[in-house]
């Protein structure tokens, strides 16, 4: 039997951010709790261990992952690891989701955010990863997303912001939806919004969730 999320294309409302894009050098704000993304993995027995949120504004798309508990207080590895092994977050975006194409086109991108710790503190390595079996070649994202790590007494939060215009078709103020998917790898656990990492979510945008950009006005 196929996992439940295969049976339906899932669409959710992605709200307008209460603040605009971060200024140069400023911390990337965490979207509020009302911007929490849906988790459908529980229908197939998967466990949610991270609080994942997202929101948009005309200047771009914000994304955050919050880890709570004792494990979150430990330092990350001092060096950048491999995406399929190291702690980190992979984010897929499709600026023109049709829900039909099984292969990534020019509007699809894959980003990897890898937190590392050293004597100076925490930082986030940001990288654009290629998507296998693309239908066409694309130019590199420019600029890359901004990302920061913030620690509190009870949680560690990774925040990221993808600027509008950084890749083809990505202008949140001019479109009404995005294809979105993520994979969080943390302390040997894995979380996605719906499907196991054994399913080809890394190259099949028809499996991604669709975010309706709600709460704003477009000319």
């Amino acid at each position: 039997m196929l996992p439940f999320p295969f049976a339906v294309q899932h669409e959710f409302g992605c709200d307008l951010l209460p603040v605009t894009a971060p200024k140069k050098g400023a911390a990337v704000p965490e979207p509020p709790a009302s911007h929490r993304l849906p988790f459908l993995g529980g229908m197939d027995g998967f466990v949610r261990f991270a609080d994942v949120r997202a929101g948009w504004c005309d200047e771009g798309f914000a994304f955050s992952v919050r880890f709570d508990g004792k494990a979150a207080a430990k330092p990350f590895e001092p060096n950048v690891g491999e995406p399929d092994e190291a702690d980190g977050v992979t984010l897929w975006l499709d600026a023109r989701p049709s829900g039909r194409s099984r292969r990534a086109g020019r509007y699809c991108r894959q980003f990897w955010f890898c937190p590392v710790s050293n004597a100076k503190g925490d930082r986030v390595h940001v990288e654009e990863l290629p998507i296998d079996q693309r239908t066409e070649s694309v130019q590199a994202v420019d600029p890359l997303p901004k990302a920061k790590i913030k620690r509190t007494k009870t949680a560690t939060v990774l925040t990221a912001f993808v600027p509008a215009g950084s890749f083809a078709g990505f202008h949140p103020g001019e479109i009404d939806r995005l294809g979105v998917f993520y994979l969080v790898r943390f302390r040997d656990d894995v979380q996605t919004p719906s499907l196991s990492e054994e399913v080809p979510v890394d190259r099949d945008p028809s499996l991604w969730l669709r975010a309706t950009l709600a709460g704003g006005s477009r000319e």
Side-chain angles (χ1 to χ4, degrees):
M1 179 180 294
L2 291 174
F4 171 80
F6 266 117
V8 181
Q9 282 192 336
H10 296 279
E11 189 160 328
F12 66 94
C14 184
D15 291 335
L16 187 70
L17 291 167
V19 295
T20 56
K23 303 297 183 182
K24 184 176 181 180
V28 180
E30 179 186 16
S34 59
H35 287 58
R36 184 172 292 118
L37 296 190
F39 177 71
L40 307 170
M43 299 175 183
D44 285 302
F46 302 127
V47 177
R48 174 164 55 185
F49 60 85
D51 179 357
V52 182
R53 307 175 187 180
W56 70 278
C57 61
D58 286 349
E59 294 87 354
F61 180 82
F63 184 82
S64 71
V65 181
R66 172 180 285 262
F67 307 100
D68 295 301
K70 293 182 179 179
K74 298 179 180 179
F76 295 100
E77 293 295 322
N79 300 307
V80 176
E82 295 296 326
D84 58 353
E85 296 178 356
D87 287 347
V89 179
T90 306
L91 172 66
W92 291 269
L93 292 177
D94 182 357
R96 295 290 190 273
S98 68
R100 297 184 299 272
S101 176
R102 304 297 298 271
R103 295 173 62 188
R106 64 192 298 257
Y107 300 117
C108 299
R109 298 300 173 123
Q110 177 181 199
F111 302 104
W112 182 48
F113 305 91
C114 177
V116 293
S117 302
N118 55 35
K120 296 182 179 180
D122 301 311
R123 68 177 182 88
V124 183
H125 170 80
V126 182
E127 186 175 343
E128 180 185 7
L129 301 178
I131 299 179
D132 290 341
Q133 301 178 17
R134 271 192 180 279
T135 59
E136 55 188 306
S137 60
V138 295
Q139 292 183 336
V141 168
D142 183 26
L144 282 171
K146 304 174 183 178
K148 298 261 188 179
I149 286 286
K150 177 183 178 181
R151 292 185 185 270
T152 70
K153 292 182 179 180
T154 59
T156 294
V157 184
L158 185 155
T159 56
F161 189 84
V162 186
S166 57
F167 64 91
F170 184 63
H171 298 280
E174 301 173 7
I175 57 180
D176 62 1
R177 67 191 59 196
L178 288 170
V180 178
F181 205 84
Y182 69 82
L183 185 149
V184 179
R185 195 179 302 277
F186 184 69
R187 314 303 194 213
D188 298 323
D189 289 319
V190 173
Q191 176 181 317
T192 77
S194 56
L195 297 167
S196 163
E197 63 179 324
E198 297 175 358
V199 178
V201 294
D202 59 334
R203 59 184 180 273
D204 184 349
S206 72
L207 300 176
W208 304 349
L209 279 63
R210 284 193 289 180
T212 300
L213 305 185
S217 61
R218 299 170 184 81
E219 298 296 331

